[in-house]
Amino acid sequence: MLGLASKSVVPVRKEPNETTEMVNQLLFGEKVSVLETYKQWLRIESTLDSYHGWVDSRLIEIIKDDTDLNSLNDYIINDWLVEVKDLSNSSNLLLSPGSFLYKPVNNRFKLYEQEFEIQNSSITTAPPTAENLIKTALRFLNVPYLWGGKSIFGIDCSGFVQVCYRTIGKFLPRDAWQQAKHGQTIEFSNYATAGDLAFFDNEEGQITHTGILISPNEIIHSSGYVRIDKFDHLGIFNNQLGEYTHKLRIIKRLL
């Protein structure tokens, strides 16, 4: 059984209970496979990154015919916030960058059987360039850190990287350590360029943080909030604290 995230942001939880840890989020239009049901909860797997978790079934539009889902052509939002109206009840949703619209024509599109109309934006595409990637990343400046978050309302470090790359058509896994397995390794930090990904490890050598380089000497990342900090071969230097906060492990190039 397959489905689509039908709200602006859908929390994905560790267990089928609203009080348990949020491990991820689905953005509007994200496709999922339903693995199990329990009361009003669905255990799902994202078709984009194979991430598992539990979601409230009321936030998922179930697809009765799998072929309908596979035939959908999608457009990925790269704008700041796109307002859409649900024409079935005239309610509005604000969609974050990285959300999916399917077959938009004349500012209208369907989420399976629900029809929506775009209210405040025109449909444009973002070719996979470092310039477009950084443009999207800068839209997230000052968005608060949120564990498991992937939206403009709250985002974690790997969610930030995943969503920004998604808006230019590059699909990465959910967690930083998984993302570090992709791309070409850059051996020296002074060879890094805008759009490269930097990964940072903890004292045990586990990769626990990531961010997007906007130059060889600056990085944008989610730490407390989405911010720009100094970067060099040692890691991230926080001017406010006057110290290095993250130790560099590896740099990867995907563009």
Side-chain angles (χ1 to χ4, degrees):
M1 185 164 58
L2 299 176
L4 297 167
S6 62
K7 302 300 179 187
S8 301
V9 182
V10 175
V12 181
R13 301 197 177 275
K14 187 175 183 179
E15 302 293 342
N17 189 306
E18 290 179 346
T19 63
T20 61
E21 175 187 3
M22 185 179 75
V23 295
N24 193 21
Q25 288 178 333
L26 302 173
L27 300 180
F28 183 88
E30 283 197 46
K31 303 174 186 177
V32 300
S33 297
V34 178
L35 307 177
E36 182 182 351
T37 62
Y38 175 74
K39 297 182 179 179
Q40 72 183 45
W41 294 87
L42 306 174
R43 189 167 72 87
I44 57 91
E45 176 182 270
S46 168
T47 62
L48 286 176
D49 55 26
S50 300
Y51 218 77
H52 287 226
W54 291 89
V55 299
D56 189 320
S57 61
R58 295 169 292 185
L59 308 180
I60 298 293
E61 180 77 9
I62 296 300
I63 306 301
K64 299 180 179 66
D65 185 348
D66 294 358
T67 58
D68 288 345
L69 185 59
N70 294 329
S71 67
L72 292 176
N73 296 318
D74 50 23
Y75 162 82
I76 302 171
I77 290 175
N78 55 56
D79 209 347
W80 169 243
L81 276 177
V82 173
E83 183 179 1
V84 300
K85 177 182 284 187
D86 184 340
L87 297 180
S88 66
N89 58 22
S90 295
S91 64
N92 285 11
L93 296 174
L94 289 174
L95 306 186
S96 185
S99 302
F100 288 85
L101 310 184
Y102 295 100
K103 297 182 180 178
V105 177
N106 296 325
N107 275 6
R108 290 196 176 191
F109 67 95
K110 284 189 174 182
L111 185 79
Y112 194 47
E113 295 178 344
Q114 293 176 271
E115 188 171 10
F116 294 85
E117 183 176 62
I118 300 167
Q119 299 295 294
N120 67 338
S121 184
S122 57
I123 297 299
T124 59
T125 58
T129 64
E131 180 182 3
N132 285 326
L133 175 69
I134 301 304
K135 184 178 179 181
T136 297
L138 292 174
R139 289 191 170 112
F140 283 87
L141 274 174
N142 295 312
V143 170
Y145 181 92
L146 176 65
W147 177 263
K150 289 199 317 188
S151 83
I152 209 75
F153 309 107
I155 200 162
D156 64 25
C157 66
S158 57
F160 172 66
V161 165
Q162 187 190 50
V163 166
C164 288
Y165 264 86
R166 179 192 297 180
T167 65
I168 59 168
K170 299 287 186 178
F171 295 94
L172 295 176
R174 179 62 178 88
D175 291 334
W177 66 271
Q178 298 169 317
Q179 295 168 358
K181 296 180 179 180
H182 292 254
Q184 172 191 355
T185 300
I186 305 302
E187 298 293 346
F188 302 100
S189 63
N190 56 320
Y191 292 165
T193 61
D196 289 347
L197 293 182
F199 296 92
F200 308 86
D201 58 17
N202 59 18
E203 294 179 355
E204 289 75 38
Q206 300 169 323
I207 291 176
T208 57
H209 191 68
T210 185
I212 301 170
L213 298 183
I214 58 177
S215 77
N217 308 115
E218 286 186 309
I219 188 169
I220 183 168
H221 64 128
S222 182
S223 180
Y225 56 93
V226 178
R227 52 184 291 133
I228 296 173
D229 281 312
K230 297 296 183 183
F231 170 83
D232 61 25
H233 67 285
L234 295 178
I236 297 174
F237 186 82
N238 185 309
N239 277 332
Q240 291 172 312
L241 300 176
E243 63 183 26
Y244 285 91
T245 56
H246 298 83
K247 179 171 66 74
L248 179 63
R249 169 70 171 273
I250 196 170
I251 301 171
K252 288 296 191 80
R253 179 165 298 160
L254 288 87
L255 298 177

